[in-house]
Amino acid sequence: MKDLDLLIQLHITQTRQGPGSQQDTLLAAQLANLGANTALKIADIGCGTGAASIDLASNLNCDITSVDFLPEFIQQLKSRANHAGVNHKITPLVADMAELPFENDSFDVIWSEGAVYNIGFETGIRDWKKYLKPYGKLIVSELTWLTDERPDEINEHWNREYPEVATAGEKIRLLEQHGYKLLGYFPLDEASWIEQYYAPLQARYQSIKADYPHRLPAIQRLIDENEQEIALYNKYKQFVSYGVFIAQKVD
Ligand SMILES: C[S@@+](CC[C@H](N)C(=O)[O-])C[C@H]1O[C@@H](n2cnc3c(N)ncnc32)[C@H](O)[C@@H]1O
């Protein structure tokens, strides 16, 4: 992939690699009713540099397997988990979410923030279900329409970029069709996009230029793409967000 190394370097210094917040992670954990006497076994799939894994490990009795296919992100997660004093609760794993090396019925919880789109929502909820124990919980955040009707520009953009984009109702129906019961749902608010994700990314523009002075044209392309995405978000934020779906395996 073109300039993947720079994309990694743009994101690796960030707490999160997608929209979300510690508050959102803990709200989802609360809606999933994740209190337990014995340590919960959790898989965080597409964990990036570990924002959710570290928040969950800091707040729950759990053992987390944190999976991402980028070794650079997993290395960063290790050092952050160490720094947060939760490394003993986290097993980092470099693996492809499409070919996970897990046993069936092995997790109480599958967690995935802003990452299932890489294989598609329906494939993810269908293929990952076997790794959950009976009545295990699934928490996924996913690009979701907030309204039934949208302006053409945003409608066409997301239908082209991610044809599985749909309303929460349609996502919930898919969860039910695949043997889950919905326990909760909320859309991410604007702060989870701007304050938690886009603003820190914009703050990185200067330092990445200083880190790679011989790659300025490629960096500028990345910045331009990012700024286009931010402008689109700001223009149409009442129509689209990430939805957080909290569900339970019931068959
Ligand atoms: C938008 S980021 C979200 C990261 C993190 N969950 C967060 O919210 O900060 C998506 C993550 O999925 C990872 N990813 C993409 N495709 C993957 C795959 N096939 N297998 C495993 N991880 C993948 C990326 O490396 C990236 O870290």
Side-chain angles (χ1 to χ4, degrees):
M1 194 188 297
K2 197 159 60 72
D3 298 327
L4 178 64
D5 59 330
L6 284 174
L7 191 64
I8 292 171
Q9 291 312 317
L10 179 66
H11 283 275
I12 200 165
T13 55
Q14 304 295 310
T15 304
R16 327 187 51 86
Q17 286 70 46
S21 70
Q22 182 183 64
Q23 201 185 337
D24 296 319
T25 299
L26 297 183
L27 174 59
Q30 190 190 335
L31 291 171
N33 196 17
L34 292 190
N37 293 328
T38 52
L40 292 167
K41 281 199 69 191
I42 301 177
D44 180 7
I45 303 178
C47 62
T49 60
S53 290
I54 292 169
D55 287 339
L56 293 171
S58 305
N59 287 279
L60 295 175
N61 179 16
C62 62
D63 289 317
I64 307 184
T65 302
S66 304
V67 185
D68 204 282
F69 76 162
L70 290 179
E72 296 89 341
F73 283 178
I74 289 294
Q75 195 53 42
Q76 182 75 348
L77 175 147
K78 282 186 199 168
S79 91
R80 289 190 182 168
N82 237 337
H83 192 252
V86 293
N87 49 323
H88 59 293
K89 297 170 90 172
I90 294 182
T91 305
L93 179 68
V94 177
D96 185 344
M97 64 173 75
E99 291 178 52
L100 292 164
F102 298 152
E103 304 277 317
N104 288 354
D105 294 342
S106 53
F107 290 98
D108 300 291
V109 179
I110 289 181
W111 201 281
S112 184
E113 294 191 20
V116 70
Y117 73 88
N118 289 293
I119 52 170
F121 182 82
E122 187 166 16
T123 299
I125 65 168
R126 184 193 63 214
D127 291 359
W128 297 346
K129 187 176 158 207
K130 58 182 174 289
Y131 305 127
L132 280 173
K133 296 178 188 174
Y135 303 103
K137 316 260 173 83
L138 172 77
I139 291 89
V140 280
S141 70
E142 160 80 346
L143 194 77
T144 302
W145 294 129
L146 302 177
T147 57
D148 285 334
E149 301 201 348
R150 281 86 47 186
D152 288 346
E153 185 185 16
I154 190 69
N155 208 35
E156 284 162 15
H157 172 82
W158 280 121
N159 277 315
R160 185 175 61 247
E161 296 295 318
Y162 185 53
E164 282 195 54
V165 62
T167 61
E170 290 165 310
K171 297 282 174 191
I172 292 164
R173 229 178 350 266
L174 274 179
L175 283 163
E176 289 171 349
Q177 279 167 11
H178 286 282
Y180 295 92
K181 174 175 91 174
L182 189 79
L183 301 178
Y185 164 77
F186 61 93
L188 297 185
D189 66 16
E190 191 178 340
S192 299
W193 287 81
I194 301 291
E195 288 161 34
Q196 301 288 327
Y197 178 52
Y198 285 142
L201 214 46
Q202 288 174 313
R204 169 84 173 121
Y205 293 169
Q206 281 318 106
S207 63
I208 194 173
K209 286 180 184 168
D211 290 346
Y212 300 92
H214 55 295
R215 306 279 302 275
L216 292 183
I219 292 173
Q220 195 55 50
R221 278 198 298 279
L222 267 186
I223 291 175
D224 291 346
E225 277 168 22
N226 212 51
E227 287 298 307
Q228 278 165 20
E229 187 189 313
I230 295 172
L232 200 71
Y233 173 74
N234 278 320
K235 191 168 173 192
Y236 293 116
K237 59 193 163 202
Q238 69 270 44
F239 299 103
V240 66
S241 185
Y242 268 68
V244 183
F245 297 85
I246 299 107
Q248 182 168 34
K249 173 174 171 173
V250 286
D251 67 10

